[in-house]
Amino acid sequence: MRVAATLVASLTLSTTVLVGQASADTVPAACPVVAPMYTAADYWLAHGTDLASASWRNAVFHVGNLAMVLTSGQSNHKTLPWAQALKYQLDTDPANEFNPANEAAGEAYLDLYTYFHPDPPILAALRQRVADEVASVQQGHVKYWNTVDALNQAWPQFVRLGVLDNKPENIQAAQELFHYTEKRAGGFGLFNELTGLWYHDASQVGSLQFWSRGNGEALAALATVLQWLPKDDPNRPEYVRVFQKMANTLRLVQRSDGFWNVDLLNPFDHPGPESSGTAFFTYALGWGVNNGILDAKKFTPTVTKGWNALTTKALQPSGLFGYAQATRPARAARSRSRRPTRLPTRSGRT
C-alpha cells in the first residue's frame, strides 16, 4: 500500500509534464489528462498510512501534489497543513547526520515557498541542513550520496537553494557529491558508461543489475536539476550528457506494453509490469521532450506508451495504483542483493 501510494506521485508528475508544464490558467481541471491525477491522489489520501511524517515517501507525494495544483488550479489543501504540522522540520538521524532520505521533504518545502507561501520559516531548517552539509563537503567529506536514489532525495534542494539564495557554494558542493556518486562510489562510480544506466550502490558495481526505480530517480533528479541550474553552469553539459545517454538506453529497453522491467536488462527477474520506474521515466522523458533536450520525434512515442501503460493498466477505477514494486521485495535468488527502498515522484493536489 505505501509503495503503491507513493507511486501515485510519479504518475501525477508525469501528467503535469505531459501537459507541457502549463500554468493553471491554461490547463482547466476538466482536461482529461488531469483526471487520473485526482483519482490516484484521492485514493492515497483516503487509504494511505503514515501520512503525517516527514518521510521521503510523503515528500515525494507532496511535491507532486503541488505540481497538480500548478497544473489544474485546484487544491485539496493537504500539503501546507502537512508542512505546518511538521513545523517545516526535516527528519534527523544522529547516526547519519546527512542522510539524503531525511532531506527529501525539503523539496516540498521549496515548492511551497516558491509557488504559494514565500514565508522564510518554511526554508529555515532546510537552509541550515544544507549549509551544514556544504561545510562538511568543503572539508573533504563527499560520500553522503552513496546510493542512486540519494540523487532524487537531496540533489535538487542544493541546486535550488544555491540559485534562490545566490550561494554558488551550494551548487559546487552538489557537484562534488554528484561526482562521487557518478564516478567514484564502489571504485568506479555508480553510473555505468557502457549501458548508460546506474547501479543502486557499491555492492552492485560490476554486475548487470540495473534497478528500474533507482534509475528512474536518477533521471528525475537530472530533469529537476536541469530545470533550475543556470544555463551557463560549467557542469550542465555533463548532466545533459548523462540524461541523454540514459534516455537513449531507456528508449531501447522499454517493454512492448509501455512499462519497464524491474531489472532493466533482465526481463526474467521479477517479470511483468512495474509502475514505479515507469512513472519516473515517463515524467523525466516527457520533461526532456518538452524542454528540447530530447528529440521529440524520437522520444514522444516512448513517453506516450509509458503514459498509456500507467493510466490504462496500472491505475484502477478506484484510484488504486497497481504493479508497484514493494519496498523490500523478496529476491528471486538468495545470492542477489536486496533491491533498495525508494519510490516514485510527484502526485495529486496540494
Side-chain angles (χ1 to χ4, degrees), residues 2 12 14 115 179 216 222 226 229 233 240-241 246-248 260 283 324 342:
R2 189 175 294 177
T12 307
S14 301
Y115 299 115
H179 179 80
L222 283 160
L226 288 170
L229 194 70
D233 186 275
V240 171
R241 182 192 75 85
M246 289 186 69
N248 282 313
W260 278 266
Y283 151 63
R342 176 70 168 130

Side-chain angles (χ1 to χ4, degrees), residues 25-105:
D25 294 335
T26 59
V27 183
C31 174
V33 182
V34 172
M37 293 190 270
Y38 283 88
T39 301
D42 287 346
Y43 185 93
W44 172 237
L45 290 168
H47 301 283
T49 58
D50 187 34
L51 297 182
S53 76
S55 69
W56 66 260
R57 296 175 180 86
N58 286 330
V60 160
F61 177 86
H62 285 292
V63 167
N65 216 31
L66 295 176
M68 176 66 189
V69 173
L70 291 173
T71 302
S72 69
Q74 297 186 20
S75 174
N76 59 3
H77 306 289
K78 294 295 183 181
T79 296
L80 182 59
W82 165 77
Q84 288 174 328
L86 292 167
K87 298 181 180 180
Y88 310 113
Q89 297 299 303
L90 304 174
D91 279 346
T92 59
D93 179 0
N96 187 1
E97 182 180 5
F98 300 125
N99 183 351
N102 291 341
E103 297 167 356

Side-chain angles (χ1 to χ4, degrees), residues 176 195 294 321:
E176 294 180 37
T195 62
L294 300 177
F321 211 70

Side-chain angles (χ1 to χ4, degrees), residues 65 72 82 139 266 288 323 346:
N65 216 31
S72 69
W82 165 77
Q139 294 170 9
N266 183 2
Y323 305 107
R346 308 185 195 214

Side-chain angles (χ1 to χ4, degrees), residues 178-225:
F178 175 84
H179 179 80
Y180 172 80
T181 310
E182 179 192 18
K183 300 289 189 182
R184 294 175 54 194
F188 299 97
L190 301 187
F191 185 64
N192 181 276
E193 291 286 352
L194 180 63
T195 62
L197 299 173
W198 294 77
Y199 300 110
H200 174 256
D201 56 37
S203 71
Q204 294 184 354
V205 172
S207 73
L208 289 176
Q209 295 182 49
F210 299 102
W211 181 45
S212 178
R213 192 159 68 229
N215 275 271
E217 296 215 54
L219 196 68
L222 283 160
T224 304
V225 166

Side-chain angles (χ1 to χ4, degrees), residues 177-339:
L177 291 164
F178 175 84
H179 179 80
Y180 172 80
T181 310
E182 179 192 18
K183 300 289 189 182
R184 294 175 54 194
F188 299 97
L190 301 187
F191 185 64
N192 181 276
E193 291 286 352
L194 180 63
T195 62
L197 299 173
W198 294 77
Y199 300 110
H200 174 256
D201 56 37
S203 71
Q204 294 184 354
V205 172
S207 73
L208 289 176
Q209 295 182 49
F210 299 102
W211 181 45
S212 178
R213 192 159 68 229
N215 275 271
E217 296 215 54
L219 196 68
L222 283 160
T224 304
V225 166
L226 288 170
Q227 177 183 344
W228 292 97
L229 194 70
K231 300 295 184 183
D232 60 352
D233 186 275
N235 297 301
R236 188 180 183 88
E238 171 63 6
Y239 303 154
V240 171
R241 182 192 75 85
V242 174
F243 185 93
Q244 292 175 333
K245 189 158 191 172
M246 289 186 69
N248 282 313
T249 297
L250 292 167
R251 185 178 68 87
L252 295 176
V253 301
Q254 186 180 31
R255 294 158 48 106
S256 61
D257 59 7
F259 290 93
W260 278 266
N261 293 313
V262 170
D263 191 337
L264 289 168
L265 302 185
N266 183 2
F268 304 105
D269 182 4
H270 294 76
E274 201 287 306
S275 297
S276 58
T278 297
F280 268 130
F281 296 143
T282 302
Y283 151 63
L285 295 175
W287 183 90
V289 168
N290 285 341
N291 288 274
I293 293 177
L294 300 177
D295 179 78
K297 184 177 180 180
K298 187 176 179 181
F299 283 93
T300 296
T302 303
V303 175
T304 301
K305 285 171 62 178
W307 173 248
N308 288 339
L310 292 169
T311 55
T312 65
K313 188 167 184 177
L315 182 63
Q316 306 303 304
S318 66
L320 176 66
F321 211 70
Y323 305 107
Q325 184 188 3
T327 52
R328 288 181 172 85
R331 299 300 298 142
R334 295 184 65 180
S335 61
R336 295 188 177 184
S337 61
R338 173 178 60 81
R339 293 277 191 235

